[in-house]
Amino acid sequence: QVQLVESGGGSVQAGESLRLSCAASKSSYSSGCMGWFRQAPGKEREGVAVIGGDGSDHYAGSVQGRFTIGKDNAKNTLYLLMSSLRPEDTATYYCAADVPDSLGRCSWYDPHIPHWGQGTQVTVSS
């Protein structure tokens, strides 16, 4: 089973930036479907940003224009660049990896995603 390890979380003030990293144990996943999800206290887990094997990406409306997802396939590492952070961005952020279907597509159906990291905490103070 692929192992995912997040790092880079911390406590910052509103308007500041953070970069999250996720190291994957298998290169096939960094070349496939990878993404970031987050869960705030008392809230359901939600998708933040995802990226497919072809480099296409998609963002939640609440972070679009502020967050950027990227990956380094050679290093088997996924990144999330977060800028202009807001208190509502406070959450535990999880790295996720999935395999594409037979057509090479990523479904990103949360209950079926097989691989998750342990999470890294991001706290944004006003």
Side-chain angles (χ1 to χ4, degrees):
Q1 184 179 58
V2 63
Q3 294 182 338
L4 305 173
V5 180
E6 303 100 332
S7 62
S11 298
V12 299
Q13 295 191 214
E16 296 183 345
S17 301
L18 280 175
R19 186 184 77 164
L20 306 183
S21 299
C22 171
S25 63
K26 295 183 179 180
S27 61
S28 60
Y29 286 92
S30 64
S31 299
C33 308
M34 299 194 75
W36 292 95
F37 292 70
R38 68 185 182 186
Q39 186 168 28
K43 302 292 185 179
E44 295 184 352
R45 185 164 60 192
E46 63 176 348
V48 177
V50 296
I51 187 168
D54 61 356
S56 61
D57 51 30
H58 182 75
Y59 298 88
S62 59
V63 307
Q64 196 163 38
R66 300 187 298 117
F67 291 12
T68 301
I69 189 171
K71 59 181 179 179
D72 186 334
N73 291 335
K75 296 182 178 180
N76 301 325
T77 302
L78 179 74
Y79 301 98
L80 184 66
L81 309 179
M82 305 184 294
S83 63
S84 301
L85 284 163
R86 305 166 180 170
E88 51 264 42
D89 294 319
T90 296
T92 300
Y93 284 71
Y94 298 91
C95 175
D98 201 358
V99 295
D101 61 17
S102 59
L103 299 178
R105 302 178 185 274
C106 305
S107 67
W108 293 116
Y109 181 54
D110 190 303
H112 289 173
I113 297 173
H115 307 297
W116 296 90
Q118 293 183 342
T120 185
Q121 179 67 36
V122 173
T123 302
V124 184
S125 301
S126 62

